[in-house]
Amino acid sequence: MRVLVLTTAASWTPDVRLLITLGAELAARGDIVTVACLSHGVLERSVEATFPRLPVRGITGQGAFARIRSARGIVAALRPDAVLVQSEPDALLAAMATGRRGGVVRRWVVGEDAADRNPVARTWRTRWAGARTRLTSWGRDPIAVSWPGPSSLRARRDAPTGTVVPTALWIVPPSEHDERTAVALRAAARLVGRHPSLRIVLLGDLAALQSTRVHAASLGLTAFVQVAPLDALLLADEVEAAAVWVTADGDEGAIATIAAMQRGVPVVVPAAMPFASIVASRITGFLMSDADVPAIVAELARLMSDRHEYDAMGDAARARASRHHDWQRFVDDAADVLSRASGSRVASAAIRPSLTTA
């Protein structure tokens, strides 16, 4: 099966990385996969550096019509059976570029309201793209979201088990500072009073988290706060954290939650999040409402003092992530959806080589 992964995203965000990693996995199974992204952009360079064996085509031109012409040229040259996109603008671009050739499959973002649930609000562009696009349940149902993280279980078996719980609270905030992140910082300030050696790690871009850092400074946390890239959680074999508190919404928050669980780290997720069902409260982590903050702080403080309880919750989180969010099952589902969208029943290769970035 020939698959074109099309995106006009400007940066290498977790949701875009998920889409392109999926394409790389399909290519490793034997499908013919090409990535089309904006030419000479940051994303194009990131894809070429991360997956050097994955062919990349550049979408050129400024403006919608120029990009449509460029995308049509790519489609005409590659003749894909299916085009995989993520955003609504990219679904429209793919629909205009493919015409009657191939099928367009869109992966919904976690928590995104489906256009077909509110037909009155749909524009002609949305209606036209929807008529040409197969809307999948990925992302609309958080249980179907996955992340190709390393096997922390194998790494932990090889490493000696420590007796001390890491005294670090990792927070995954959105780029725009919000009340959920403010609640997490206030909880961190209370934890510092119980554990003076606590470190607070904000995961994200340093410039984007400026408002969050200012709020942390207003709480007297400057000496305890450091900023690290989100890749420290997504790609590390082991995470030295007592807990990961997720306040980011959408795909970024869901992926961070699953990545932490895969690595055997308890998670704290606001109960109002659309992906809150990923977490089994008090078993793999904590679901939190505003009224629960004092109780959550007390339980996290106890967790950082009890290695046995910490390991038990981390093991339950890893087992749940493996059972409900298995990466290979996610890829199998994707291959089946793309095959049906293309009108063919082409099966991926039975041999499943492990995915590498080399």
Side-chain angles (χ1 to χ4, degrees):
M1 180 172 58
R2 294 185 298 274
V3 179
L4 176 65
V5 180
L6 185 149
T7 177
T8 56
S11 57
W12 190 229
T13 56
D15 52 342
V16 175
R17 187 198 296 270
L18 175 66
L19 200 70
I20 295 174
T21 305
L22 171 60
E25 182 71 59
L26 292 172
R29 292 181 173 204
D31 292 317
I32 301 172
V33 181
T34 304
V35 174
C37 55
L38 295 181
S39 183
H40 305 299
V42 175
L43 181 59
E44 184 181 43
R45 294 192 294 271
S46 298
V47 175
E48 290 174 342
T50 308
F51 299 109
R53 297 178 182 174
L54 199 62
V56 180
R57 295 294 188 94
I59 301 173
T60 59
Q62 299 293 326
F65 290 106
R67 290 181 179 178
I68 290 171
R69 285 196 300 270
S70 178
R72 280 179 175 169
I74 295 172
V75 168
L78 299 177
R79 303 180 66 84
D81 298 309
V83 181
L84 179 60
V85 299
Q86 181 146 309
S87 67
E88 183 180 305
D90 290 347
L92 180 63
L93 174 61
M96 289 184 169
T98 57
R100 295 182 178 276
R101 176 187 295 125
V104 181
V105 175
R106 179 182 172 199
R107 195 195 78 81
W108 285 78
V109 176
V110 172
E112 181 180 359
D113 289 330
D116 56 355
R117 295 180 184 175
N118 190 11
V120 177
R122 298 175 68 189
T123 65
W124 71 268
R125 291 182 178 87
T126 303
R127 293 174 183 270
W128 196 82
R132 291 287 299 118
T133 307
R134 181 179 182 86
L135 302 179
T136 76
S137 62
W138 306 335
R140 198 182 297 179
D141 301 322
I143 204 69
V145 180
S146 189
W147 180 252
S151 174
S152 59
L153 179 60
R154 183 173 60 252
R156 179 166 295 194
R157 280 175 178 169
D158 295 340
T161 302
T163 58
V164 179
V165 178
T167 54
L169 177 66
W170 290 25
I171 301 176
V172 183
S175 55
E176 295 289 336
H177 187 64
D178 61 2
E179 181 57 30
R180 292 190 184 106
T181 308
V183 169
L185 289 177
R186 289 196 292 271
R190 295 184 184 186
L191 281 171
V192 166
R194 300 186 181 212
H195 291 272
S197 60
L198 182 73
R199 291 182 300 111
I200 302 165
V201 182
L202 301 177
L203 298 178
D205 182 73
L206 181 64
L209 297 180
Q210 184 63 29
S211 297
T212 302
R213 294 169 64 216
V214 169
H215 190 183
S218 70
L219 296 172
L221 297 176
T222 302
F224 304 93
V225 172
Q226 64 185 83
V227 179
L230 188 56
D231 283 356
L233 171 62
L234 300 182
L235 303 180
D237 285 315
E238 290 294 324
V239 173
E240 289 297 317
V244 174
W245 195 309
V246 180
T247 63
D249 207 343
D251 273 352
E252 184 175 352
I255 289 171
T257 300
I258 294 171
M261 292 171 63
Q262 286 176 335
R263 284 148 186 76
V265 179
V267 289
V268 181
V269 174
M273 291 292 195
F275 52 85
S277 60
I278 293 175
V279 180
S281 189
R282 265 73 181 186
I283 299 174
T284 65
F286 305 95
L287 291 181
M288 188 213 69
S289 65
D290 290 343
D292 290 335
V293 175
I296 297 296
V297 169
E299 294 201 43
L300 286 176
R302 187 175 67 252
L303 195 68
M304 284 188 280
S305 303
D306 189 337
R307 181 75 197 200
H308 178 73
E309 184 178 351
Y310 171 80
D311 286 341
M313 186 171 283
D315 290 342
R318 188 187 301 105
R320 183 176 175 86
S322 176
R323 183 169 60 252
H324 295 296
H325 309 284
D326 179 65
W327 172 247
Q328 294 302 331
R329 188 171 65 178
F330 179 79
V331 176
D332 289 341
D333 182 38
D336 181 63
V337 172
L338 289 166
S339 178
R340 285 187 278 112
S342 69
S344 65
R345 293 292 178 180
V346 180
S348 295
I351 300 176
R352 298 180 182 177
S354 60
L355 177 62
T356 63
T357 57

